[in-house]
Amino acid sequence: MAGYRTIVLAIAVYAPLAWLQCIATLHAAEPLTKIIIAHAANNPRVAPLWIAKEQGIFAKYGIDAEPIFIRNSSIAIGALMAGNFQVGFNAGGAQILSAAAQGVDIRIIATFTTRLTHDLVARPGITVPRDLRGKRVGVQVLGGSLWLTAMLALEALGLEPSRDDVRILVIGDQTVLTQALQSGVIDAAPLDGAFSQRLKKQGFPILIELYRANIQTASATAVLMKSYLLAQPVVVENVMKGLIEGLAFTLSPRHKAAVIKTIMRRLKISNIADAEEGYDGLLKAMELKPYPTARAMQNMQRFVKTQNPTIADVAVEDVLDARVIKKLDESGFIDEVYRRYGVDNK
């Protein structure tokens, strides 16, 4: 009888544990959902995406994410529309508006940066705004994020390109723009801190620090097709969980060294001081609760419609979908993630 009770007790104690272990094994064996996340900007603010991949954070939420870099925002949005990737971590707000003007059901579900943080850097000898009259300002692509940054910077300086004969030249990304400034091909360019501070040390003046100007814009947006959002709501939510935890890791003081190492490798920066400048700019720029905002998009719309008048008819609110961020916020997920990483989000 005692032996029978021992067997029954063993079954009562160990059977549930064995069942839980079986469930855990089955869960662990579930394949990760493969998605491609494209970014059309290459600057320190992409770090949350890189970190979420490198630190296994996406995998934690069942996502096998492959980040890829597409140099041109227009090409990136076209590739998104064609289904070549599923999510854009994209600074191309102008291209998003252009797509919406064509009737494309595209949605911004998060905006991780809502203020300009670049510096407008000039070649030596150009020290005040009026010196830019008749000069050349380099951008990556007309209508792109750096073009918009340049236009907003010129506006803040009291300059108007057509009136003041400021020529906007398509040169390339920020690495190419830096080289163009150094060689004298252009006279000024909007650059992220990781690039601008390096030039400043070489004697290149900064005409305006846009972070201090507090100019509203939308970049580092999470963008996708409405059809994908409707078809894969759980996958989209898990991608956003990965990005938000990637941001928490990025902002965590105890992980600073790892983040700077990633920035240096991804941006091919050899000087740790330059990488730290980029990291400091990232700390200032990122929104802890990345709700997409109409005001930031409307500020972009003012300029982009000069390149494409149909954009004036876009109701920017129709392009924004805050439901995923709202759900993660109201559930306490966002606050809990920052708490675990020691990030003050108050």
Side-chain angles (χ1 to χ4, degrees):
M1 192 65 173
Y4 173 76
R5 283 198 297 267
T6 300
I7 292 172
V8 171
L9 180 61
I11 292 173
V13 172
Y14 291 108
L17 294 177
W19 172 247
L20 289 174
Q21 185 176 21
C22 180
I23 293 294
T25 301
L26 288 172
H27 182 71
E30 291 178 1
L32 301 179
T33 301
K34 175 77 174 180
I35 70 164
I36 300 173
I37 304 178
H39 58 101
N42 213 22
N43 58 51
R45 292 182 299 285
V46 186
L49 170 60
W50 297 329
I51 288 294
K53 171 64 175 179
E54 294 175 7
Q55 299 295 327
I57 295 172
F58 279 130
K60 173 180 173 181
Y61 295 107
I63 302 297
D64 178 12
E66 179 186 351
I68 63 171
F69 174 48
I70 300 177
R71 288 184 176 275
N72 185 297
S73 296
S74 297
I75 295 173
I77 295 300
L80 175 65
M81 291 163 55
N84 294 329
F85 63 88
Q86 291 74 46
V87 179
F89 193 76
N90 199 335
Q95 284 69 35
I96 295 169
L97 289 173
S98 296
Q102 298 169 34
V104 176
D105 266 343
I106 193 168
R107 294 292 182 269
I108 297 173
I109 62 170
T111 301
F112 285 87
T113 305
T114 60
R115 288 179 294 173
L116 290 178
T117 58
H118 295 69
D119 300 320
L120 187 65
V121 185
R123 63 173 176 78
I126 298 175
T127 57
V128 293
R130 65 175 178 271
D131 292 339
L132 281 180
R133 292 170 181 161
K135 299 299 192 299
R136 305 154 299 176
V137 176
V139 298
Q140 185 171 357
V141 61
L142 293 179
S145 59
L146 284 178
W147 170 83
L148 180 65
T149 299
M151 298 299 287
L152 288 166
L154 292 172
E155 181 183 64
L157 292 172
L159 296 169
E160 203 283 317
S162 59
R163 183 195 67 208
D164 297 306
D165 189 28
V166 179
R167 286 163 286 166
I168 308 298
L169 303 183
V170 174
I171 300 297
D173 64 20
Q174 294 192 63
T175 301
V176 179
L177 288 171
T178 298
Q179 295 167 351
L181 263 177
Q182 291 172 318
S183 64
V185 171
I186 56 176
D187 302 298
L191 296 173
D192 189 85
F195 300 95
S196 66
Q197 294 303 311
R198 186 193 320 168
L199 289 175
K200 182 179 179 181
K201 294 169 186 174
Q202 299 172 15
F204 288 74
I206 293 177
L207 296 182
I208 183 171
E209 295 177 324
L210 292 171
Y211 172 75
R212 298 183 186 279
N214 196 27
I215 300 171
Q216 292 284 304
T217 189
S219 62
T221 56
V223 58
L224 40 64
M225 301 302 295
K226 180 182 178 182
S227 57
Y228 189 77
L229 177 61
L230 294 177
Q232 299 289 348
V234 175
V235 172
V236 172
E237 182 176 322
N238 286 335
V239 169
M240 291 311 305
K241 285 180 177 179
L243 285 172
I244 289 170
E245 186 164 340
L247 176 58
F249 185 106
T250 299
L251 300 180
S252 174
R254 62 177 177 263
H255 295 303
K256 178 179 177 180
V259 175
I260 287 179
K261 184 177 179 180
T262 291
I263 290 173
M264 293 180 71
R265 186 179 70 259
R266 293 280 186 169
L267 298 181
K268 297 179 173 58
I269 297 173
S270 58
N271 189 321
I272 191 169
D274 293 335
E276 287 186 339
E277 291 285 356
Y279 178 81
D280 290 343
L282 181 157
L283 295 181
K284 297 174 183 176
M286 304 304 284
E287 296 290 338
L288 299 183
K289 294 186 177 181
Y291 284 92
T293 63
R295 182 182 172 190
M297 292 297 293
Q298 288 163 347
N299 203 24
M300 301 177 74
Q301 189 179 35
R302 286 194 303 121
F303 282 98
V304 179
K305 68 184 181 182
T306 65
Q307 299 290 308
N308 180 355
T310 64
I311 287 175
D313 298 327
V314 175
V316 297
E317 295 85 355
D318 294 341
V319 183
L320 310 179
D321 193 326
R323 286 177 294 175
V324 177
I325 295 300
K326 184 177 181 182
K327 179 180 178 181
L328 296 179
D329 187 12
E330 293 181 349
S331 70
F333 171 84
I334 297 178
D335 289 335
E336 173 59 21
V337 165
Y338 289 128
R339 185 195 65 78
R340 285 192 282 111
Y341 282 88
V343 177
D344 182 6
N345 67 327
K346 302 302 182 183

